[in-house]
Amino acid sequence: MTTSTTQPAPSWRSEPPVRSERGIRAVQPVAALLGVIGLGICLVLSLDVVSAAVALGLELALLPLLRIPVRTLLLRTSPVLVAVPLTGVSIALYGRASGREWFDLGFAHVTDGSLVLAVATMLRVLAVGVPSIVLFIGMDPTDLADGLAQILRLPARFVLGALAAIRMMTMLGDDWRQLAMARRARGLADTGRIRRGASMAFALLVLALRRATTLAVAMESRGFGAPGRRTWARPARFRAREWAMVAVLVGIGLVSIAVSVAVGTWRV
């Protein structure tokens, strides 16, 4: 007695992968990019302290909703935290002089106007820099590239080339360590630290150019530079949550402007 079972025919149609992320990582990165640009435009329209302080306060109030570990937050925002006081000192010393003068060094002078401008600038740098970094923590560069090409309609050739370059940048650290170990094995890493660093940097540049050439040929052979309509493995959509993020970020800027105008500190 024989039995025959009919196996279902395999389906070769590729289905787009389903994104299972939650929270901020489920939002298309283009929404964060557009929202940060809108927030920055609102904050550069005035140089007062109130608008920047209100925007920064609202951002700090919403920051716990992102559930980012404190250590990760401090590490990622450390460049901004270091640049802010340096920016404030330079503007306080060389900003526009107005009001009471505190001291004059000839090449630098500090007045009430320069101090107020320095505080406003520091708050404004924080208000723009913190969301610009925080919203892109854990971002997948591929998702950003998909959004830039499919939503903003940027040229696919440029977007894919930039994505490949970003992916390759993560390999520079490994290449540097391998070059250092190779030179140490040949006995070339004991003396002349500056000369050794310059030669390693040149070798790293040559290696990067060779890899870029190989990658360009490989991408061209797979049709990345072919004319015609391009298909995408993962469709990028701009839905309600993306519009909500843009609305929140732009809303922060508009609220800060409204408060500044109401208080009477708005100035262009």
Side-chain angles (χ1 to χ4, degrees):
M1 181 177 178
T2 61
T3 60
S4 62
T5 59
T6 302
Q7 299 292 337
S11 176
W12 301 105
R13 186 177 62 180
S14 61
E15 297 291 340
V18 179
R19 297 181 62 186
S20 60
E21 295 91 342
R22 295 181 179 179
I24 192 66
R25 297 186 65 180
V27 180
Q28 169 58 233
V30 169
L33 179 63
L34 295 177
V36 169
I37 292 175
L39 174 63
I41 292 174
C42 293
L43 292 179
V44 300
L45 295 178
S46 176
L47 296 176
D48 65 294
V49 177
V50 175
S51 61
V54 171
L56 182 60
L58 293 175
E59 293 167 4
L60 295 179
L62 296 175
L63 193 58
L65 299 178
L66 302 180
R67 298 180 180 179
I68 300 176
V70 177
R71 183 175 182 274
T72 302
L73 182 63
L74 293 177
L75 288 176
R76 295 299 180 90
T77 58
S78 57
V80 177
L81 299 178
V82 171
V84 163
L86 298 178
T87 303
V89 170
S90 61
I91 293 179
L93 293 177
Y94 305 107
R96 181 182 299 176
S98 62
R100 181 174 53 180
E101 183 178 73
W102 292 92
F103 61 85
D104 188 357
L105 300 178
F107 60 92
H109 54 275
V110 177
T111 62
D112 288 342
S114 63
L115 290 177
V116 172
L117 184 60
V119 173
T121 303
M122 289 191 295
L123 293 175
R124 193 159 268 97
V125 170
L126 286 174
V128 177
V130 170
S132 300
I133 296 175
V134 168
L135 293 178
F136 289 96
I137 292 178
M139 179 204 67
D140 186 1
T142 303
D143 291 338
L144 179 59
D146 289 337
L148 293 175
Q150 299 179 52
I151 298 175
L152 299 184
R153 304 297 182 182
L154 295 183
R157 190 183 185 94
F158 167 77
V159 171
L160 294 174
L163 174 62
I166 293 175
R167 293 293 189 187
M168 291 294 109
M169 285 183 61
T170 59
M171 303 177 63
L172 293 178
D174 295 334
D175 293 338
W176 184 271
R177 286 188 290 270
Q178 291 178 3
L179 287 172
M181 289 187 293
R183 294 179 63 88
R184 188 174 292 108
R186 296 182 177 92
L188 302 175
D190 297 330
T191 58
R193 181 173 302 179
I194 297 178
R195 182 179 180 182
R196 182 179 72 249
S199 62
M200 286 180 59
F202 180 76
L204 186 65
L205 175 62
V206 173
L207 182 62
L209 291 176
R210 290 178 178 175
R211 181 177 291 132
T213 303
T214 303
L215 180 62
V217 173
M219 293 179 67
E220 290 287 345
S221 64
R222 288 169 173 81
F224 282 94
R229 183 182 179 186
R230 173 167 298 281
T231 58
W232 302 90
R234 296 188 294 186
R237 298 182 178 90
F238 213 83
R239 292 171 290 192
R241 57 192 177 192
E242 282 76 22
W243 284 111
M245 172 170 284
V246 175
V248 169
L249 292 172
V250 176
I252 291 175
L254 295 178
V255 169
S256 66
I257 292 176
V259 174
S260 176
V261 172
V263 174
T265 60
W266 173 269
R267 62 189 183 92
V268 180

